[in-house]
Amino acid sequence: MKKRKDFAVDRRQFLAASSGLLAAALPGAATLATAAAPSTSLLLRAPAAKPVGSLRKIPIGVFDPVYEKLSLDAMLDKVTALGLEVMEIGTGGYPNNHHCPLDDLIADRAKAKAWQKKFEDRGIRVATLSCHGNPIHPNAAHAQKDIDTFRKTVLLAEMLDVKVIVGFSGCPGGTPQDTQPNWITYRWPPEYAQMQDWQWKEKIIPYWKEAAKYAREHGVKRLALEMHPNFAVYNPRTLMKLRAAVGEEIGANNDLSHLFWQGCDPVEVIHFLGKQGAIFHAHMKDTVFFPENVNKYGVLNFAFETGELDSASETFRAVGYGHSASLWKSIIKAYMDVGYEGILSIENEDPILAGEVGVERAAYVLKNVRNELLGT
């Protein structure tokens, strides 16, 4: 974005050029239901190469918290109707465990297998289990709850032969006396460097060494950490720092929505991490920028609700509604090029195309670009 000299454009001109999708963010705009076509990207990329017969068909699925109000059977009806092939299921932590009674399942292998069979009977594979939490929170009770959830998730993954567990790296306090997490990204004044060094040496690396050992002992060798603000691992560099200290059990949940606003090039990120075998999972979620607000306020000015959009610099969108389908085609091609073995898991947190609607739109874009790449 920094390289674009014409970046500063009028917001209403930008929205008009984007097929009107984001007009819903403006007072008096058309209803959200009319926002049906993917928006034009500010970061257009050259068309992807012609299909190659050896490219892997990466399965497309969805992360289940978007269906939190539905029963397991009702959710499976929705996912089946969309033609999705795999699922990422929350087992606790911040996403909760709406469709996975974790304690019951790990206590009874037959019950766990019966739960898994519900998916398989629909032609859907449970590909990953997710327990996004903060296992190094300075509040000991909070941390222990998330540690327990992680360990139980490992046990369920072992039972079901699920190879990938998704989560956050966590964030400790800045000193032994802190009661709340302290996310440090800037090492000056010098006391911040001292706190960050203490965090990594005393909290982050020791915990993940033990967690990786526990997972490995139970046959789970892929811990996919989402690079997310407010956690120690928030970009490719911090991910690789932890991987170097802990081992190859540490890899990425490559959620590009958190990397777009940091100025990362998505294809470069995939090539960088993928060539080191460090991408274990991929959330499919987009981010849209409002250029005149970026110019005034910078990128640390995120919106989570529609009421915040008018003064926001960026917000989450469904795939294809922040960047063009052409860019997403290049992204999927990059995953194929590096031999990515995971899934494309739709996580919808779009404040405009909320809930099931955003999943449907994202699935449409992803299936189309995948078909183009595979020549089907």
Side-chain angles (χ1 to χ4, degrees):
M1 302 293 287
K2 296 177 182 177
K3 297 178 181 178
R4 292 294 301 266
K5 295 182 180 179
D6 58 346
F7 187 66
V9 298
D10 178 78
R11 183 176 187 180
R12 294 185 182 274
Q13 291 175 349
F14 165 71
L15 295 174
S18 301
S19 303
L21 275 176
L22 299 173
L26 298 172
T31 60
L32 302 183
T34 62
S39 63
T40 302
S41 172
L42 290 178
L43 295 174
L44 295 177
R45 182 177 294 280
K50 293 182 179 180
V52 177
S54 62
L55 293 179
R56 173 179 179 256
K57 182 180 180 180
I58 304 175
I60 298 171
V62 63
F63 188 19
D64 76 303
V66 71
Y67 299 111
E68 63 182 358
K69 296 180 181 179
L70 299 180
S71 68
L72 175 59
D73 289 335
M75 176 187 73
L76 289 174
D77 286 342
K78 293 280 187 181
V79 175
T80 303
L82 287 175
L84 299 179
E85 301 138 341
V86 288
M87 287 202 72
E88 173 186 357
I89 300 295
T91 61
Y94 297 115
N96 214 324
N97 61 331
H98 304 286
H99 304 110
C100 179
L102 183 59
D103 288 336
D104 292 344
L105 297 185
I106 64 170
D108 187 335
R109 180 178 294 272
K111 187 176 289 187
K113 289 293 186 180
W115 177 85
Q116 185 180 43
K117 190 173 184 298
K118 279 182 172 285
F119 295 84
E120 293 174 345
D121 287 347
R122 304 293 193 103
I124 298 167
R125 176 170 59 93
V126 177
T128 57
L129 299 175
S130 293
C131 52
H132 296 72
N134 188 352
I136 50 176
H137 195 288
N139 179 296
H142 184 141
Q144 193 59 54
K145 182 179 179 182
D146 289 340
I147 291 168
D148 291 345
T149 298
F150 170 78
R151 289 183 165 237
K152 291 175 183 177
T153 302
V154 168
L155 296 179
L156 182 60
E158 182 181 29
M159 283 184 182
L160 303 180
D161 196 30
V162 172
K163 301 300 185 183
V164 179
I165 291 176
V166 184
F168 293 135
S169 60
C171 184
T175 70
Q177 293 76 38
D178 285 357
T179 59
Q180 294 294 337
N182 191 340
W183 186 43
I184 301 168
T185 63
Y186 200 80
R187 292 175 61 81
W188 194 90
E191 59 266 31
Y192 288 91
Q194 294 169 7
M195 287 190 290
Q196 190 182 60
D197 291 342
W198 177 83
Q199 288 178 322
W200 280 83
K201 180 180 178 182
E202 302 297 333
K203 296 294 180 179
I204 301 165
I205 292 173
Y207 170 76
W208 282 107
K209 280 186 174 180
E210 181 59 32
K213 178 176 180 290
Y214 181 82
R216 185 168 59 249
E217 289 171 349
H218 291 277
V220 177
K221 300 178 181 179
R222 294 191 167 200
L223 304 178
L225 301 184
E226 185 167 340
M227 296 172 282
H228 193 290
N230 282 329
F231 295 106
V233 168
Y234 60 91
N235 63 11
R237 185 178 180 186
T238 49
L239 176 82
M240 295 308 294
K241 177 179 179 179
L242 186 60
R243 182 177 167 94
V246 171
E248 292 187 353
E249 288 84 7
I250 300 297
N253 167 23
N254 201 39
D255 187 331
L256 294 172
S257 69
H258 303 300
L259 302 183
F260 282 130
W261 67 264
Q262 294 185 60
C264 295
D265 180 296
V267 172
E268 289 295 323
V269 168
I270 294 167
H271 285 166
F272 170 67
L273 295 176
K275 289 176 181 177
Q276 301 175 78
I279 305 178
F280 297 160
H281 189 62
H283 275 171
M284 295 289 104
K285 188 170 64 182
D286 211 338
T287 298
V288 71
F289 294 88
F290 306 125
E292 80 289 3
N293 286 338
V294 173
N295 291 340
K296 286 186 292 187
Y297 308 132
V299 296
L300 297 179
N301 178 40
F302 214 89
F304 294 94
E305 300 176 358
T306 54
E308 302 170 330
L309 289 172
D310 197 47
S311 59
S313 297
E314 66 274 314
T315 193
F316 294 135
R317 294 305 316 264
V319 170
Y321 287 78
H323 296 84
S324 70
S326 295
L327 180 66
W328 280 99
K329 185 176 179 180
S330 296
I331 289 168
I332 305 309
K333 177 63 163 53
Y335 279 122
M336 293 176 175
D337 287 343
V338 299
Y340 171 59
E341 298 177 350
I343 71 171
L344 307 175
S345 181
I346 298 167
E347 182 188 32
N348 190 51
E349 295 180 336
D350 188 323
I352 299 173
L353 298 174
E356 299 172 23
V357 177
V359 175
E360 294 168 6
R361 303 288 174 81
Y364 179 82
V365 173
L366 290 171
K367 285 193 282 188
N368 278 336
V369 299
R370 185 182 68 176
N371 288 345
E372 287 181 17
L373 288 165
L374 297 173
T376 59

